[in-house]
Amino acid sequence: MAQITLKGNPVQTVGELPAVGTQAPDFTLVKSDLSEIKLSDFAGKKVILNIFPSVDTGTCATSTRKFNEKASSLDNTVVICVSKDLPFAFGRFCGAEGIEDVLTGSSFRDTSFEDDYGLKITSGPLTGLCSRSQ
């Protein structure tokens, strides 16, 4: 179990991130068009995960914009922004912001993503959401 902070207050997560050098667990997330996306879809590519509680917070929205700016210049690399937000929230945000160079994935259907990656917040006001991680 990892301890993180929210506005300076300690909160817990379900576990730890996968160790550097280990195989990342496969996952199934839901894109804004309600189709599914899996890590295994990108075999042979570098995958960057931008994980956060909600695109509707300032810091999470900013990270999505920044990754979108950088994504188009990365060779053989895909950036996936992940949260438990509904796919419609991602679609609304990306449409309004002109976000086109990152993919989005919601874990609302299958919570194994945040469990397998040790990112589910287990205490505090954001219990059940993903901790921020990149």
Side-chain angles (χ1 to χ4, degrees):
M1 181 177 303
Q3 181 173 298
I4 58 172
T5 59
L6 176 64
K7 295 185 177 183
N9 298 311
V11 295
Q12 305 296 317
T13 63
V14 72
E16 302 284 340
L17 285 168
V20 173
T22 63
Q23 180 71 34
D26 201 9
F27 53 74
T28 301
L29 301 169
V30 182
K31 298 187 327 184
S32 59
D33 65 1
L34 300 178
S35 65
E36 293 184 342
I37 187 173
K38 297 179 180 198
L39 178 60
S40 57
D41 295 340
F42 303 102
K45 291 190 174 202
K46 296 174 191 168
V47 177
I48 298 172
L49 299 176
N50 175 28
I51 307 159
F52 46 78
S54 175
V55 74
D56 287 324
T57 66
T59 300
C60 302
T62 298
S63 74
T64 302
R65 288 185 202 102
K66 286 292 185 187
F67 273 103
N68 187 65
E69 287 174 20
K70 305 286 184 191
S72 63
S73 65
L74 300 173
D75 292 331
N76 197 38
T77 303
V78 62
V79 177
I80 306 172
C81 297
V82 181
S83 81
K84 207 168 197 120
D85 285 319
L86 289 176
F88 313 114
F90 273 131
R92 173 190 42 77
F93 176 81
C94 292
E97 296 283 334
I99 305 280
E100 297 178 345
D101 293 324
V102 298
L103 299 174
T104 59
S106 171
S107 64
F108 88 99
R109 259 188 218 157
D110 180 0
T111 63
S112 63
F113 174 83
E114 53 264 25
D115 291 329
D116 292 347
Y117 281 75
L119 295 170
K120 182 170 34 178
I121 298 172
T122 59
S123 66
L126 298 183
T127 295
L129 297 180
C130 296
S131 171
R132 187 176 346 270
S133 181
Q134 299 162 343

